[in-house]
Amino acid sequence: MKISLRFSDEGKNWVRIVPVFSEEGKKDLAEDVPDLFLWEKEMLQKILEEKIFEAKVGRLYEISQLTEGRLVHTVFMGLGPGEEISEGKCVRAIYGAYKVAMGYQSERVEMKLFSSSKISMDRVFQLAVDAIYQGAYRFDKYKTDKKSLKKEHEVCITGIPQDSMAEFEKNLEEASLLARCVSKARDLVNEPANAIYPKSLAKLAKEYGKGYGFLVEVKEAKEISELGMHAFLEVAKGSKHSPRLIVMRYMGDPTKPSHILGLVGKGLTYDSGGYSIKPSDSMAYMKSDMAGSAAVIGAMCAISEKKLKLNVVAVVAACENLISGEAFKPGDIIGSMAGKTIEVLNTDAEGRLTLADAIHYAIAQEKVSKVVDIATLTGAVVIALGDVVTGAITNDEVFYQELLEASKKSGEKFWQLPSYEEYKELLKSDLADLKNIGGRSAGTITAGLFIGEFVGNTPWIHLDIAGTSYLEQGKDTRKGATGVGVKTLYYLAKNMQSE
Ligand code: BES
Ligand code: MG
Ligand code: ZN
C-alpha cells in the first residue's frame, strides 16, 4: 500500500471515499459535498432525504456505477455534525471506510480530505495517513494460506488546496515514516517468543541501527555481570536464552554533549511469571512483555531517520522470565547495580527489577540527563485505565508537560497517577532496602515508584503500557500489538530539539 497526493485519472476502476457531515435541519446537504459525479450527488440527495443514510459517525453507504467505461465504487462516509467531530471519531470513520474500500480489491482508493470548525484539514490528514497505514497493517507471515491477502493498492488523498501541496507533501513524509516505525514496533511485539528472544531482539536492533542511522552496542552476560546488574541477571537466569543489554545511541547534537534524552524500554521477551507462575490465560500473550523495548526501538528509528537535532540513548535489558533449577525464587534477596538490596516476594514482579538496573545504567553510565521508561508493567493499570489510556508517573511536572504536549501530536493518551510519599512506605522490606511488591492496593503506583527509587534526581517519566500495547480483541485500526509509544516518544524528542 502506498499513499500519494496526486490522483491521475488513468481510466482505471477506483473506489472513492466521500466524507459526509450531517447537519440537523439542513435541506440540501449533498450541496455541501464538493466534486461529486452527478449520479453520486443525486444518490446522496435521495438517501439523505429518505433517511436511508443519516451520515452518523461510523455509518457508510456504498454505491457502484459504470462511469465512462470505468467502474466507480463510492463509499459515503458519515461523520456526524461538523461541530461534534473528535479525533477519535475521525479515525474510526476513516478506518471503517478504508476497510470497506479495501474489500473491493481495487488498485486505487481515493479519499477526499475534509475539515470542520472542530478539526483542521492538516490534522485530519495526519490522522488519515496513520489510520490508513495502520489499517493496512497485517501480521500474517506465519499463515500458509495467503488467499486472505489484500491486493496491493494506492490510496490517493484528494481535496488538498493547491497552494498547500508542498506542506502536505512534507507532512505525508513524516506521517509515513512514523507509520513505518509503528509497524516495525508492532511486528516486534506480534512475533512470538520462539522468534524474538534476547539475542534475536539485539540482532534486529543492530539491523535497524544500520538501516536508520543509530549506533547499537550489545552487552552479553559477562559484561552485564561486570557492570553489577544483579537484579537484571537474577530475572534472566532461569532461561536458556542468555540476556542482552542493548544500548542504542543517536548523537544528533554534538554541541550539547551533556543533554541526552534517555529512553528505557522493558524487554521481557517472555514473562511466565517465574515461580510465582501466571495462570495460563494471562500467560498466553506474554510474548508482548517487550512492547516497551519495541516502542523505544521504533522511536529510535524515527528519530534518527529524521536526523533530529538532539542526543538520545535508548537502553533495553532483554531477558526471559522462566522457571528452571537456576531460576530466582520468591523470598530471595538480591542486589542491584545501584547497590540497593531487594527482597523478591513475587518473581512475577520482574519488570521493575530489570528496569531498576537498566535505568540506573542509563543514568550512571550513559549520563542521560532526562529519562522516560516505558513498560508493560502491571495488570493493575489495565483495571484502572483499560486499553484506552497509558498510566504515567513522574518526579518532574515540567518534563511531564512536555510529554503531554507530544501526546497532542501523537494522539496517544496518558493519565498521570499520584506519587505521594505514603505510597513508598508500601515498598519497605523488613529484610532488605526494598521489596519488589507493594501489596494489592495501588499496584501501578508502587510498581512505578519502585523504579523511581533508582532514578535519583534525574527528571523521569514512567509509562505503564500493559493495557495499551496489546489488544486481544481488535479495535479501530488496531489488533494485537498497537505500537503504542513510538509516536509520542518521537514527538517528545522532536520538541526537545530547541532546548
Ligand atoms: N508483564 C506483567 C504485566 C502485564 C499484565 C503485562 C498484563 C501485560 C498485560 C508484569 O511482569 C507482571 O506480571 N506484573 C504483576 C505484578 C504483581 C505480581 C505485583 C501483575 O501485574 O500482576
Ligand atoms: Mg511478571
Ligand atoms: Zn512482565
Side-chain angles (χ1 to χ4, degrees), residues 18-39:
V18 176
V20 185
F21 283 107
S22 68
E23 215 172 311
E24 209 57 49
K26 179 138 188 195
K27 273 237 167 76
D28 198 358
L29 253 175
E31 275 307 323
D32 288 352
V33 182
D35 309 322
L36 293 180
F37 287 118
L38 186 61
W39 56 268

Side-chain angles (χ1 to χ4, degrees), residues 271 273 278 321 348-350:
D271 179 15
K278 288 181 183 295
N321 186 19
D348 199 11
E350 84 300 335

Side-chain angles (χ1 to χ4, degrees), residues 310-321:
L310 87 163
N311 306 315
V312 190
V313 173
V315 176
V316 171
C319 67
E320 282 190 329
N321 186 19

Side-chain angles (χ1 to χ4, degrees), residues 4-10 14 108-110 156-158:
S4 76
L5 302 187
R6 272 162 244 278
F7 185 78
S8 59
D9 200 352
E10 287 167 338
W14 85 97
R108 288 199 299 172
V109 176
E110 178 193 2
C156 185
I157 300 181
T158 59

